[in-house]
Amino acid sequence: MTPRILVLNGPNLNLLGTREPDQYGRETFSDLADSCGASARDLGLDIEFRQTNHGGELIEWIHAARSRCAGIVINPGAWTHTSVAIRDALVASELPVIEVHLSNVHKREPFRHNSFVSSIAVGVICGLGSAGYRMALAHLGHMFVEQAA
Ligand code: DQA
């Protein structure tokens, strides 16, 4: 069966392309969704690409992923730095998680240097723009191939 990956995006990421382009680039959210879809096809993965501005909704999606998905790629946006609840939901999913940020959070304000997610993630990619999402998908794809071998 084709592994299904949930690609989750937190608050304000729907504004990509117009929001702080110096920080996040000019690529729109729909460009990002399309490029992840194309990578997933090349890698033999199914993806569900989602964004929400509501924390409870994100948590419900993570809970549901436990029985439906093989892994999670998540850019939690600002919730990265604030939400123990999202971290706990990710742990409860028992799925491999890769944390992605478009910008290099470590080059930015000190409050962005802490992540509640990083220590429970398989890996963290930041500062590489949308390529980070594609790298995260490639890593999960390789992990599943190795597990199946
Ligand atoms: C972000 C970094 C966060 O600090 C910020 O709140 C975001 C986007 C990124 O992708 O670089 O919303 O997660």
Side-chain angles (χ1 to χ4, degrees):
M1 219 175 66
T2 311
R4 183 187 291 135
I5 309 301
L6 186 59
V7 183
L8 293 174
N9 294 278
N12 303 310
L13 290 164
N14 53 313
L15 302 179
L16 278 182
T18 54
R19 171 194 182 205
E20 299 178 72
D22 291 348
Q23 206 63 255
Y24 301 117
R26 296 246 171 234
E27 214 178 326
T28 65
F29 185 70
S30 116
D31 295 335
L32 177 63
D34 289 348
S35 78
C36 286
S39 285
R41 272 190 299 281
D42 292 346
L43 292 160
L45 299 170
D46 262 352
I47 59 165
E48 288 181 16
F49 192 89
R50 300 191 189 169
Q51 187 275 333
T52 182
N53 295 319
H54 303 278
E57 185 169 43
L58 188 75
I59 288 170
E60 302 284 0
W61 290 343
I62 295 169
H63 291 174
R66 182 185 164 126
S67 56
R68 301 179 55 248
C69 297
I72 296 177
V73 173
I74 185 166
N75 180 348
W79 291 329
T80 309
H81 320 297
T82 60
S83 180
V84 176
I86 289 168
R87 173 204 171 95
D88 285 352
L90 291 166
V91 171
S93 77
E94 296 184 354
L95 295 171
V97 172
I98 302 189
E99 177 185 347
V100 174
H101 299 283
L102 294 157
S103 64
N104 180 351
V105 286
H106 300 290
K107 269 169 91 173
R108 300 181 63 191
E109 304 94 325
F111 66 83
R112 294 186 204 275
H113 299 176
N114 175 59
S115 164
F116 283 106
V117 174
S118 299
S119 62
I120 59 93
V122 172
V124 182
I125 303 171
C126 75
L128 303 183
S130 65
Y133 285 70
R134 297 189 290 275
M135 289 173 190
L137 289 170
H139 184 80
L140 287 176
H142 293 140
M143 261 177 65
F144 300 139
V145 169
E146 275 171 26
Q147 279 166 11

